[in-house]
Amino acid sequence: MFDLLKNLVEDNKKYIKDGHVATYIPALANVDENQLGVAVVDLRDGNYKEYFAGDYKNTFAIESTSKVITLIMAMLDNSPEYVSSKVGSEPSGFAFNSILNMEINNKSVPSNPFINAGAIVTNSLVKGKNSDEKIQRILEFTRKLANNPNIEVIEDIYLSEKRTGDINRSLAYHMKANNLIDGDVDDVLDCYFRQCSMSVSALDLARIGSVLANKGVCPWNNERLIPMDICTIVKSLMVTCGVYDESGRFAVHIGIPAKSGVGGGILASVPNKMGIGVFGPSLDSMGNSVAGVRILQQISKKLDLDIFE
């Protein structure tokens, strides 16, 4: 497995030039686009094993991949039924920072929890008296999921997100006006910007994916962190909505539940088999890691991981 991953990283570095780092968040524009790494937490033999290659330990901003974590927390803090009354579960067909689906189709809730409007509503459902308390809970849960006590908010990313997040502000106030957000909008947004700015590595994402793959149980200590029904909901949404407008093609050609982020990370979870984390900050036109998607496609083919086969 180590050799396979090493070869995949080396073979796919040539595709880095086909993308570019995210620039609409100024702090992300400074990231070295030539990084590429992958990690796998393998559950197939009953005793989990970790494999990795390339820049798998390099930390980066989790960005939209964090939406998986806050969705889980929102369902734990409330119930799946209550969350589904506030956020839908359908692909939007529009950009991740758009509300056109709500407007054109006269929908009362955002299309899904992985577009920004839905993710902001989801963040508002995480329990806590203010942004400080909520982000501490989100950090603690993320650390447990990743088996990494060192995950923190990257301050310059957070401040950059907050300084340039006017579209997200407009989305949040629209959600507030539609009675989908309780409490102070600015406080919800502050927590949302911090949530997206957490530091993770490809190995962290692989471990989070392995918990989902293992039906909510951490493979390293057998602690249950997520109920099985919530795992099923999350993995289903990852298949249909997890990689923006590329979700359909991703399902057809790769067939693994996944969630990407513009920081360059992709969290993938193969039910009962493995968690996979990829990091490559050079993005394609859809906002997904251009080399990372290719690595996942090749891993899926070589290890027969497509859940639809």
Side-chain angles (χ1 to χ4, degrees), residues 5-231:
L5 298 183
K6 181 180 178 182
N7 290 336
L8 287 176
V9 169
E10 291 303 317
D11 290 346
N12 286 284
K13 280 185 176 179
K14 60 180 176 286
Y15 296 108
I16 290 173
K17 62 177 173 44
D18 295 338
H20 54 80
V21 296
T23 56
Y24 67 94
I25 300 170
L28 292 182
N30 300 322
V31 173
D32 177 8
E33 68 178 17
N34 293 305
Q35 300 173 91
L36 187 61
V38 60
V40 168
V41 178
D42 194 346
L43 310 173
R44 291 175 299 174
D45 63 359
N47 296 308
Y48 93 101
K49 295 179 181 178
E50 296 182 346
Y51 304 95
F52 31 75
D55 300 312
Y56 72 95
K57 290 196 295 186
N58 290 15
T59 57
F60 55 92
I62 191 170
E63 296 297 340
S64 286
T65 310
S66 66
K67 295 170 183 176
V68 169
I69 297 163
T70 49
L71 174 61
I72 294 167
M73 293 186 69
M75 290 191 284
L76 289 171
D77 285 349
N78 301 271
S79 69
E81 294 75 20
Y82 185 76
V83 173
S84 69
S85 74
K86 298 282 189 177
V87 185
S89 55
E90 301 293 337
S92 74
F94 293 94
F96 62 88
N97 58 359
S98 172
I99 57 167
L100 285 176
N101 188 262
M102 289 182 69
E103 294 291 285
I104 292 172
N105 296 313
N106 197 29
K107 289 180 176 288
S108 60
V109 299
S111 298
N112 66 71
F114 294 155
I115 58 172
N116 287 14
I120 292 168
V121 173
T122 301
N123 180 284
S124 76
L125 298 175
V126 175
K127 300 297 185 185
K129 64 184 179 183
N130 55 34
S131 174
D132 291 340
E133 186 173 294
K134 285 170 59 175
I135 194 60
Q136 284 307 311
R137 291 192 63 230
I138 293 168
L139 280 167
E140 288 167 11
F141 190 58
T142 305
R143 290 164 183 160
K144 283 188 175 182
L145 287 170
N147 196 26
N148 180 1
N150 298 315
I151 292 173
E152 298 286 355
V153 172
I154 305 172
E155 192 71 11
D156 65 328
I157 299 289
Y158 156 61
L159 293 174
S160 187
E161 294 250 9
K162 190 170 185 175
R163 187 169 59 251
T164 60
D166 290 334
I167 291 178
N168 285 324
R169 288 185 180 90
S170 70
L171 294 175
Y173 278 104
H174 187 86
M175 298 303 107
K176 177 73 170 180
N178 281 271
N179 300 312
L180 295 172
I181 290 179
D182 296 325
D184 183 74
V185 172
D186 286 337
D187 194 66
V188 170
L189 282 167
D190 187 73
C191 186
Y192 177 72
F193 294 140
R194 293 196 210 183
Q195 160 199 323
C196 292
S197 304
M198 292 189 294
S199 64
V200 292
S201 66
L203 181 57
D204 293 327
L205 296 185
R207 289 173 177 168
I208 296 169
S210 75
V211 177
L212 287 166
N214 204 35
K215 300 178 180 177
V217 176
C218 299
W220 48 86
N221 62 8
N222 292 318
E223 178 185 2
R224 176 169 293 281
L225 292 180
I226 313 167
M228 287 179 60
D229 63 327
I230 291 179
C231 280

Side-chain angles (χ1 to χ4, degrees), residues 273-290:
K273 292 184 178 180
M274 64 181 61
I276 307 170
V278 179
F279 170 51
S282 180
L283 309 179
D284 63 23
S285 61
M286 298 294 180
N288 302 310
S289 173
V290 64

